[in-house]
Amino acid sequence: MKKDETLTIPSGVEIPFRVVRPGDAPALQRLHARCSERTIYLRFLGPMKKLSDEQARYFASTDGVDHFGLVALNPEDPNEIIAVVRYARKPGNERAEYAALVEDGWQGRGVGAALTHRLIDEARRNRVRSFYALVKGENKRMLNVLRHLDLPEQERVEHGEKMVEIGLSFEDTQRAG
């Protein structure tokens, strides 16, 4: 993946995005602080007043294979992150946990979906076969993003939450690689 690229969302706005970096921890904390309590509740499956320094460092650090994340930047202020998508897996595992957070003002505009498609491309290159995510049933936007990836998807209820599994068929990448 190139250093910095852009996503074009359905409204025609071009959103810069790139791989998350360790120096992004403070910007991730600012993103968290700008999100509504409901957005945080839906993302973290409960309330979380602030993203701790330790959590921010964790979300900002990747190894490019087993832990990988992308951030979308505010087109008017590229120092501010408006969305983050990431996956994490245990080394050698073919399943990875998927998570996303999109700032309230950017939700429903295609940023999360576009960023997730790019994350899937990277995951396939890293031989991730599936994403799984625990999603609150009321988190309709996240469920819609996952349902509209045009990938095999399964849902089951687990502890009152929906466990969504997305197959990342990567035969095409295997042939290309």
Side-chain angles (χ1 to χ4, degrees):
M1 197 177 132
K2 296 181 207 112
K3 265 257 194 247
D4 285 52
E5 295 186 51
T6 59
L7 305 166
T8 304
I9 59 174
S11 66
V13 175
E14 296 212 347
I15 309 286
F17 80 97
R18 60 173 168 72
V19 174
V20 69
R21 307 190 270 246
D24 288 332
L28 289 171
Q29 287 175 309
R30 292 191 303 272
L31 165 64
H32 185 280
R34 288 191 309 272
C35 288
S36 68
E37 283 182 30
R38 178 164 174 73
T39 291
I40 297 303
Y41 172 81
L42 293 174
R43 161 58 182 93
F44 292 98
L45 308 178
M48 181 187 291
K49 289 284 183 221
K50 71 176 263 211
L51 194 64
S52 72
D53 292 347
E54 183 181 340
Q55 289 166 315
R57 279 193 301 274
Y58 172 77
F59 291 136
S61 60
T62 65
D63 64 13
V65 176
D66 295 319
H67 295 265
F68 189 85
L70 296 172
V71 292
L73 307 172
N74 186 327
E76 293 172 19
D77 183 357
N79 293 317
E80 293 303 326
I81 293 171
I82 60 168
V84 57
V85 296
R86 56 180 324 224
Y87 73 79
R89 67 175 172 178
K90 292 184 174 83
N93 201 327
E94 294 183 333
R95 291 176 75 234
E97 184 175 18
Y98 163 82
L101 179 63
V102 178
E103 187 176 332
D104 293 64
W106 289 94
Q107 290 177 14
R109 296 174 63 182
V111 177
L115 210 51
T116 297
H117 279 289
R118 302 302 174 95
L119 183 71
I120 288 169
D121 292 343
E122 291 297 321
R124 286 174 172 154
R125 279 193 267 287
N126 290 324
R127 302 291 186 245
V128 175
R129 288 190 176 270
S130 65
F131 279 169
Y132 64 91
L134 199 57
V135 181
K136 288 213 162 280
E138 68 224 62
N139 194 347
K140 302 293 185 218
R141 283 196 168 136
M142 176 58 82
L143 291 170
N144 281 335
V145 165
L146 296 172
R147 288 175 182 148
H148 292 94
L149 292 172
D150 294 327
L151 292 168
E153 173 231 339
Q154 294 179 316
E155 287 181 25
R156 66 182 184 280
V157 176
E158 211 171 89
H159 311 293
E161 316 293 344
K162 288 191 179 201
M163 176 59 78
V164 181
E165 182 111 17
I166 305 292
L168 309 182
S169 168
F170 65 99
E171 287 76 18
D172 296 337
T173 5
Q174 283 180 319
R175 278 197 296 276

